[in-house]
Amino acid sequence: MQALAYLYSPLGMLALSASDAGLHAVHFLDRETPPPTMPADLAACLQEPYRQLKAYFEGELREFNLACAPLTGTDFQRQVWAALGSVAHGRTASYLDIAKQLNNPKSVRAVGAANGQNPLPIVWPCHRIVGASGALTGYAGGLVRKQWLLAFEQPAQQGSLFS
């Protein structure tokens, strides 16, 4: 059975959906939104995703450790989404970096398309992926949110590009 919860964040309301299989999706809500779900009212499958996202926005969590079970995605998209987690908190990588990590440097455009279909933004940090020049490129949640997320993560200790 799929469950739904709403979490208020500095970027607006987030809708989280999950089942016993794991977290299915995180959506930014731009329209009139319902009130946030209270922790006591969370379905068991949403307790940990809710807690970790809340901790992330409070600056207490840098890496998510969640069971993720997207309901969509080709094998290639899932490979791209898995690779997103290798970009360390506070760092960025290019679409080409991800394509090279997948041993397919010619797949840059396909990586960009897959990145844009990521059902778990923030958890799978697609906001950390930028153009080869370092320019901010599209973000399904909007460039303002991407800029905010990158700025929010900047105080992180500097390290290697990939974790």
Side-chain angles (χ1 to χ4, degrees):
M1 181 176 141
Q2 192 167 330
L4 187 63
Y6 300 96
L7 170 68
Y8 184 76
S9 80
L11 300 172
M13 192 67 72
L14 300 175
L16 317 176
S17 65
S19 70
D20 290 339
L23 184 63
H24 299 310
V26 174
H27 295 285
F28 295 105
L29 300 181
D30 289 322
R31 58 193 182 285
E32 187 174 323
T33 58
T37 306
M38 301 310 295
D41 296 330
L42 288 170
C45 61
L46 282 164
Q47 289 177 3
E48 192 59 16
Y50 188 97
R51 184 194 71 74
Q52 287 190 33
L53 279 160
K54 189 171 183 297
Y56 169 83
F57 284 113
E58 291 172 351
E60 298 170 0
L61 181 82
R62 291 184 175 191
E63 292 182 34
F64 293 93
N65 183 17
L66 294 170
C68 296
L71 299 176
T72 61
T74 65
D75 288 342
F76 179 78
Q77 287 173 322
R78 289 171 186 258
Q79 289 174 2
V80 170
W81 300 336
L84 296 174
S86 68
V87 182
H89 184 97
R91 306 297 288 172
T92 60
S94 71
Y95 297 102
L96 179 59
D97 292 329
I98 299 296
K100 286 179 179 178
Q101 186 179 351
L102 298 175
N103 295 315
N104 191 353
K106 293 183 179 181
S107 67
V108 174
R109 287 186 181 175
V111 166
N115 198 52
Q117 297 298 311
N118 176 7
L120 294 167
I122 304 169
V123 174
W124 289 339
C126 53
H127 61 276
R128 297 179 190 155
I129 310 304
V130 297
S133 68
L136 296 186
T137 55
Y139 184 62
L143 285 180
V144 169
R145 286 186 176 119
K146 183 172 187 164
Q147 289 171 322
W148 188 95
L149 288 162
L150 291 173
F152 176 69
E153 292 182 353
Q154 278 309 299
Q157 71 181 31
Q158 298 301 306
S160 67
L161 178 66
F162 296 101
S163 53

